[in-house]
Amino acid sequence: MERLLIEGGVRLHGRLRVAGAKNSSLAVIAAAALAPDQSVLENVPHCRDVLIFLDILRVLGVKAEFTAQGHLVLDARTLVEHVAPYDLCRQMRASIYAAGMLLGRLGRAEVPLPGGCVIGSRPVDFHIRGFEALGAQVMTEHGFLKASAPQLTGATFYVPRSSVGTTINLMLAASRIPGLTVLQNAAHEPEVVDTAVFLSFMGARVRGAGTSTITVEGTEDLHGATYTIIPDRIEAGTYLIAAAATHGDVLVEELISEHMTALLTKLTEAGAVVEQGPTGVRVKVDSDLRPVDVDTAPYPGFATDLHPQLAAMLAVVAGRCAIRETIFEKRFGYVDELRRMGADIRVEGDTAIITGVPHLSGAPVEAIDIRAGAAMVVAGLEARGETQITNLENLDRGYEGLEEKLRGLGAQVQRLPV
Ligand code: EPU
């Protein structure tokens, strides 16, 4: 058990490079296991969710090794097992990608119902309906989703509501099925597009990713591929928000600024100076920030995964702000922790109403999920005095080298044993 100690009040300044996208990496790693072949992935973050997912795949027979920073070599020729391990899958949402992968690769899958952040009920009913549309028989029994099909067939499936996981899982299975699958109302997120591009490199014909209709012409002859994962827009957004919250000046290099439009628009509206250049995005604040209202929404709307961090920033902005959460009904777990630090936030239905206080004061708080943990980091950086964050395993699920990156920006941060 470890804790993070942050001495607040330092303006972040400098530059940093973000890691590859965690949520793309998880999907692309699952895709690589569809082919009985070797794949090489670059820019894979060394964060806990990725490491757990690799352990899940190892139990299924895949060989996986980081041979240099961000450089992951996967060999799925030896994948034989169709039952995924319960305890590992319980720890993360993306373990459900093992179901789409195994169903496509072996025609059967037994995958525990996934765990992950406690931010809503997060059912897998859309995934199940999608697999059934492809011809699988699916049931849930003893905590497992069990799917099998002697013969899967391409089909048209309307994703009931914009769902990143459902869109990716069905692209995975469909890529291995000869014939045409059409996904309507598909999610538009960059991580969906990244996965689609990698599947195309593997030999599937995937069209329309990034729009509402994705077509997949699958093949049994998928092969391995070499691919570089996109930069992590949520990690980048977290550092940019931290820069604004501390009235700092930070350049985040080598990110795809188009993925950040909703956040950068809000930061500008709040009074930050945002510069988008060929090498990255710079956020600078040298006067008081203004209140803003935000609704989270599927891409290209404001990402739900940046909601808690933005709330931490707005907690000390004079005036009243509202953040309406439209994706996950229980995303507000961070609120009680921010209140410990003196924030004035109340939740009314799906909306957090934030009344700015002059300053937060450091306190012992918990990282109750990945992004709530990131909000505690932002709050600790802008607070007066020392903040102690525990439950770091949640932060480590999604942030590689957090304290090194923050120290590189001048923050006073230490990781210590509890
Ligand atoms: N939903 C259902 N049934 C389903 C699937 C989804 O009702 O079968 C609902 C969800 O409960 C939610 C909405 O549909 O209300 C959208 O969920 P989605 O499927 O898009 O989310 P996800 O695939 O489970 C991914 C990311 C999350 C991110 C969301 C939204 C991964 C591994 N996770 O989750 O990331 O918040 O998309 O963008 O890609 C994080 O990284 O901290 C994180 C939580």
Side-chain angles (χ1 to χ4, degrees), residues 358-371:
H359 62 85
L360 296 180
S361 58
V365 288
E366 266 184 61
I368 62 157
D369 63 61
I370 307 180
R371 310 305 171 188

Side-chain angles (χ1 to χ4, degrees), residues 22-24 26 49 92-97 117 119-128 161-168 187 189 191 233-234 297-299 303-305 326-329 331 369-371 397-398:
K22 165 186 78 91
N23 289 343
S24 268
L26 295 165
D49 271 7
M92 61 185 307
R93 176 74 181 176
S95 56
I96 195 69
Y97 293 153
C117 289
I119 51 181
S121 64
R122 306 187 81 183
V124 289
D125 51 335
F126 303 163
H127 299 246
I128 291 174
R161 110 176 233 203
S162 179
S163 163
V164 176
T166 309
T167 305
I168 287 175
E189 269 69 3
E191 294 75 17
R233 65 194 170 103
I234 305 299
Y299 187 82
T304 175
D305 288 342
T326 69
I327 314 289
F328 292 117
E329 68 278 12
R331 182 113 245 184
D369 63 61
I370 307 180
R371 310 305 171 188
R397 287 181 51 200

Side-chain angles (χ1 to χ4, degrees), residues 54 57-58 61-65 72-79:
L54 292 177
L57 292 188
R58 287 188 185 105
V62 175
K63 293 181 186 138
E65 202 186 338
L72 178 68
V73 180
L74 287 157
D75 187 343
R77 283 174 292 197
T78 41
L79 184 149

Side-chain angles (χ1 to χ4, degrees), residues 36 85 117 132 157-158 170 195 215 238 255 325 372 396 414-415 418:
C117 289
E132 285 171 343
F157 181 70
Y158 183 91
L170 295 179
T195 311
T215 59
T238 301
L255 55 80
E325 173 58 46
D396 292 340
Q414 299 180 65
R415 183 182 286 250
V418 169

Side-chain angles (χ1 to χ4, degrees), residues 334-343 360-366:
Y334 69 88
V335 169
D336 282 344
E337 299 304 297
L338 282 186
R339 280 201 194 120
R340 287 176 200 281
M341 300 177 72
L360 296 180
S361 58
V365 288
E366 266 184 61

